[in-house]
Amino acid sequence: MGEHTTGGLSVLSGSGLSARRFEVLAGRVARADGRAVGDNEIDVVAPATDERLGSVPACDETDVAAAVERAREAQADWAARPVEERTAILERFGDLVADRRDDLLDLLQVETGKARTTAVEEVLDVPNACSYYADVAPEALAEERRRGALPGVTTTHVSYDPVGVVGVISPWNYPLTLAVTDAIPALAAGNSVVLKPDEKTPFVALALAELLAEAGLPDGVFQVVTGEGPVVGPALVERVDHVAFTGSTETGRVVAEQAGRNLVGCSLELGGKNPLLVLDDADVERAAAGAAHACFANAGQLCLSIERIYVHESLYAEFLAAFVRETRGLTLGTDLDYAADVGTLASADQLERVECHVADAVETGASVVSGGRHRPDVAPYCYEPTILTDVDADSLVATEETFGPVVSVTPVADTEAAVAAANDSDYGLNASVWTGDRERGRAVARRIESGTVCVNDGYAAGWAALDAPKGGFGDSAVGHRHGVEGIDRYLQTRTVAASRVGLVKFPSGRGAGWVVDGAFTLLGLVRRLQRRLR
Ligand code: NAD
């Protein structure tokens, strides 16, 4: 046990969780033959109280190699099953996640310190993703007929195969949804998956592995390797056929370099410094309530969190007053119920980063309009939702992702200035536009360099639109998750072109020029016809 507990109570009291449950989950970690739990372990701590929950093996390269080998062996049989059989198992998994939500919500809260209302967003995501990919996978994987080289002379078909073994590397901030929603399309496509969760949040990932097995997923098709990122991560990237990474831009560059060297695909979902624009026709009260949620859900530890707000100067004072009121109305807490709006930061490192950004902002001239205090009375790493004004454009809080409950509010002269300020960032993950006119909002959204832009919402409308790809501009992403694009990344294509007339080639020798001229005449006719039909 660490030094801090909530009033002397264990964080587990009131939950169905126990030390034994964590031991059972740790037993699910994929290890090389002959390695027992206990060789080399990593403690997992509850941020709400700083108490030790249990430990997981610190896997090494040998464990990762064995897991990938098992995954490769299991993959062929899995891929040979009809897609409907695979997605039926994933649908059962989605049902189990919904049925066991109380256990998963407890686990999520205990492992991350997040408020239950935020934890619910994660759990809801999983059954939805299962159903979405059950709907779209059969069509995405079906062989297609494409236009041939010479109409009537050749036929062309494209077939789609799974790439093989997919490595998923996930962060601690949304450890349930980000561990498995990238795995679901990979599995639907017939790949096997080896997941490396963040070392701070392995138990949620292991609980998902348990439910996938219960749903009927064959052994070896989904495995979890736990351990230090710089050890397990590269060992995994080295061996898989595609890597789906979610985490910081800094680590994403390391992963991309390694994937590039091995010539395997990678999809990277990285950091953000997300802007929210309040246009001159916005409903101020709605915008303020929306902003409070968009900035402070999950204590700001959300890649889509708003960290910069630009308000038309005519509404600035009114908006700021309403936003401060909304923010002060947020309840802090880490109990395993729905009482709190905002939980704690996840670690001492997170607290240090947030305090450093706020101190730097204040030193460079910013004012703290609300919050700005560490709240150890709530939890060891808890920090108040914080609003800053007059932030220097070169300060840390203006330029770097804080990844905490801190936002700057700045007045702007007009929409042009708001769009320019929003786009003045190396990142481009999420943005939000508030206006009384949705069409105008969509027009402004199209000018923002961001993978997702929500109009009159902070992030949920965009994130939960599973049929639409989620990517990012600039340093925020490579590739996409969600949508058909979210399954396409895990496929390799095979084009089969068949000739009805045997060898397709131009003749040589006498008369060849006539054939070439004829071919160009035919080509001209075909192109003219195509243009007319277009
Ligand atoms: P991180 O990059 O430190 O860690 C992410 C994962 O990478 C962890 O599992 C970690 O163990 C692993 N890792 C560490 N070193 C590695 C290496 N050398 N090779 C391979 N893997 C390695 O990120 P974090 O601090 O845990 O997460 C917060 C960041 O993630 C923020 O920047 C946030 O914006 C971003 N994020 C992005 C999205 C998105 O969808 N775009 C979602 C959530 C979080």
Side-chain angles (χ1 to χ4, degrees):
M1 287 269 270
E3 301 174 350
H4 308 274
T5 54
T6 314
L9 277 176
S10 160
V11 72
L12 301 184
S13 60
S15 76
L17 301 169
S18 64
R20 177 68 194 138
R21 172 95 171 106
F22 292 113
E23 272 172 39
V24 169
L25 288 174
R28 286 212 149 261
V29 174
R31 308 228 59 194
D33 288 345
R35 295 199 166 187
V37 173
D39 285 356
N40 191 6
E41 306 241 312
I42 296 179
D43 281 347
V44 181
V45 169
T49 56
D50 227 4
E51 72 192 279
R52 178 181 171 278
L53 296 171
S55 59
V56 288
C59 293
D60 62 14
E61 184 143 13
T62 311
D63 295 308
V64 177
V68 174
E69 203 179 308
R70 271 195 301 272
R72 224 170 261 298
E73 281 163 15
Q75 190 259 333
D77 281 349
W78 176 241
R81 296 186 184 204
V83 58
E84 290 77 12
E85 200 180 306
R86 296 196 297 264
T87 56
I89 290 175
L90 294 172
E91 284 276 47
R92 267 203 297 284
F93 166 67
D95 292 345
L96 287 171
V97 167
D99 291 349
R100 310 281 169 81
R101 62 186 176 276
D102 287 338
D103 180 53
L104 290 169
L105 287 168
D106 286 351
L107 201 49
L108 259 174
Q109 280 199 274
V110 163
E111 211 170 41
T112 63
K114 64 175 61 188
R116 206 166 185 86
T117 55
T118 308
V120 166
E121 290 180 354
E122 288 205 59
V123 177
L124 261 175
D125 224 24
V126 179
N128 280 340
C130 293
S131 295
Y132 174 71
Y133 282 107
D135 282 348
V136 301
E139 197 180 326
L141 302 174
E143 186 174 270
E144 284 179 299
R145 188 166 180 163
R146 297 281 183 100
R147 215 186 279 182
L150 294 169
V153 179
T154 63
T155 58
T156 305
H157 291 86
V158 180
S159 60
Y160 299 93
D161 288 342
V163 290
V165 181
V166 170
V168 175
I169 300 180
S170 59
W172 48 264
N173 65 326
Y174 276 67
L176 186 135
T177 184
L178 295 177
V180 80
T181 51
D182 283 328
I184 289 164
L187 295 169
N191 297 284
S192 53
V193 170
V194 179
L195 164 69
K196 184 241 159 301
D198 190 275
E199 38 277 56
K200 289 187 276 301
T201 52
F203 287 124
V204 167
L206 291 162
L208 294 169
E210 201 176 51
L211 294 183
L212 278 164
E214 191 177 333
L217 197 73
D219 278 355
V221 174
F222 180 90
Q223 297 169 73
V224 180
V225 283
T226 52
E228 301 293 346
V231 176
V232 177
L236 186 60
V237 178
E238 197 55 32
R239 290 169 171 80
V240 294
D241 305 303
H242 181 100
V243 56
F245 172 85
T246 308
S248 63
T249 297
E250 195 186 352
T251 312
R253 288 187 203 282
V254 175
V255 169
E257 275 177 21
Q258 197 185 353
R261 267 198 308 280
N262 289 351
L263 299 179
V264 297
C266 68
S267 37
L268 310 170
E269 300 291 338
L270 310 172
K273 187 76 197 171
N274 309 304
L276 180 149
L277 281 55
V278 183
L279 305 189
D280 55 2
D281 62 350
D283 178 323
V284 166
E285 293 298 326
R286 281 192 186 187
H293 181 67
C295 298
F296 304 125
N298 208 36
Q301 302 166 118
L302 166 62
C303 55
L304 307 171
S305 275
I306 298 301
E307 296 196 355
R308 305 179 283 148
I309 298 182
Y310 301 105
V311 190
H312 190 274
E313 58 192 11
S314 64
L315 300 181
Y316 181 71
E318 196 189 339
F319 173 82
L320 189 60
F323 184 40
V324 167
R325 199 172 55 247
E326 287 287 341
T327 301
R328 291 195 178 144
L330 296 171
T331 313
L332 298 181
T334 58
D335 287 346
L336 304 186
D337 58 26
Y338 291 97
D341 300 300
V342 179
T344 174
L345 290 172
S347 65
D349 287 351
Q350 279 298 106
L351 176 63
E352 191 185 326
R353 183 177 176 89
V354 166
E355 288 189 314
C356 167
H357 276 211
V358 174
D360 174 75
V362 171
E363 272 165 32
T364 51
S367 304
V368 178
V369 182
S370 189
R373 288 183 308 159
H374 175 205
R375 290 291 301 274
D377 55 313
V378 179
Y381 313 122
C382 185
Y383 196 87
E384 285 177 344
T386 299
I387 302 172
L388 303 173
T389 56
D390 304 307
V391 163
D392 184 273
D394 295 326
S395 63
L396 288 176
V397 92
T399 53
E400 289 187 13
E401 182 183 41
T402 304
F403 216 54
V406 181
V407 64
S408 61
V409 188
T410 308
V412 285
D414 52 28
T415 305
E416 287 304 309
V419 170
N423 288 341
D424 185 17
S425 170
D426 293 337
Y427 293 110
L429 191 64
N430 180 43
S432 169
V433 178
W434 291 78
T435 169
D437 176 349
R438 239 184 18 244
E439 276 314 311
R440 182 182 179 211
R442 275 203 278 263
V444 171
R446 283 194 282 272
R447 298 173 56 200
I448 298 180
E449 292 159 7
S450 177
T452 303
V453 187
C454 296
V455 177
N456 293 339
D457 186 59
Y459 63 85
W463 174 264
L466 285 179
D467 195 27
K470 304 288 168 307
F473 283 48
D475 291 352
S476 284
V478 173
H480 301 93
R481 62 157 53 106
H482 292 182
V484 177
E485 294 82 351
I487 195 166
D488 280 351
R489 62 184 159 157
Y490 301 131
L491 298 173
Q492 48 200 349
T493 60
R494 182 186 302 99
T495 295
V496 176
S499 168
R500 289 195 165 99
V501 296
L503 185 65
V504 177
K505 94 178 247 303
F506 285 111
S508 52
R510 279 167 71 97
W514 293 100
V515 176
V516 170
D517 288 346
F520 272 93
T521 305
L522 183 65
L523 176 69
L525 284 173
V526 170
R527 291 180 63 224
R528 263 208 296 285
L529 186 66
Q530 281 170 342
R531 278 202 291 273
R532 194 161 297 169
L533 293 176
R534 221 171 263 152

